[in-house]
Amino acid sequence: MGYAYIIYIYMARKTISSEDVLKLMPRLEQTLTEEQRALILQNLRVQTYKKHEMIYSEGDRPHDLLFVIKGKIKIFKGGSGGRSHIIRVALPEAFLGYRPYFAQQDYQTSAEAMESAQIAHLSLHMLSEMMH
């Protein structure tokens, strides 16, 4: 089941189920046992962000694996004089937020919705425990 089909279903229903979100992550979904899959489905939450709403800020402690379902996310670093430097733009199907968690660091960048966006959140602690 492809990304376009899932988004078509989402647009028709205006909601997206945890099952549909997991189907958007085939590399993750294919490696899970039934028990792991059930645990992820129980803990996955989808949050909607408005244009210009902050998703995380530089210096925050990472807690969740973030998966962009819909929208564009600006990843940037604060600069001098209140200016920011865009590092990259994350598009649908991008994962965010995991690098600093596994490096045991705070976020080195900030993330903001460039347009209305939906992001799936999944506890990195839970995922880390599942891997051991």
Side-chain angles (χ1 to χ4, degrees):
M1 192 171 312
Y3 179 76
Y5 177 75
I6 298 292
I7 293 304
Y8 171 78
I9 296 296
Y10 163 76
M11 295 305 282
R13 292 190 305 217
K14 297 293 183 208
T15 61
I16 189 163
S17 71
S18 295
E19 288 273 349
D20 287 340
V21 172
L22 194 54
K23 288 176 186 171
L24 290 173
M25 304 179 222
R27 287 180 285 168
L28 175 63
E29 184 185 32
Q30 294 168 357
T31 63
L32 300 172
T33 65
E34 282 303 314
E35 183 179 305
Q36 291 170 329
R37 189 175 194 285
L39 185 62
I40 285 176
L41 290 174
Q42 284 177 340
N43 289 283
L44 188 114
R45 65 183 172 79
V46 176
Q47 187 168 342
T48 301
Y49 293 88
K50 295 177 183 168
K51 184 176 182 174
H52 300 300
E53 188 172 353
M54 293 299 293
I55 297 159
Y56 64 79
S57 297
E58 191 172 340
D60 288 352
R61 185 154 306 257
H63 297 287
D64 293 337
L65 173 66
L66 307 173
F67 179 76
V68 182
I69 299 167
K70 180 180 133 224
K72 293 178 185 173
I73 310 302
K74 175 174 71 171
I75 310 300
F76 64 98
K77 195 152 180 61
S80 60
R83 300 179 68 122
S84 63
H85 303 282
I86 297 175
I87 306 298
R88 70 183 174 113
V89 174
L91 301 173
E93 299 187 72
F95 287 97
L96 307 170
Y98 60 91
R99 287 184 189 115
Y101 177 84
F102 290 109
Q104 299 179 345
Q105 298 176 340
D106 293 337
Y107 285 116
Q108 303 298 306
T109 59
S110 297
E112 174 185 294
M114 295 177 74
E115 59 190 29
S116 178
Q118 276 201 314
I119 297 180
H121 292 251
L122 194 56
S123 165
L124 281 162
H125 178 73
M126 182 201 64
L127 287 173
S128 181
E129 292 293 314
M130 280 178 41
M131 291 191 287
H132 291 97

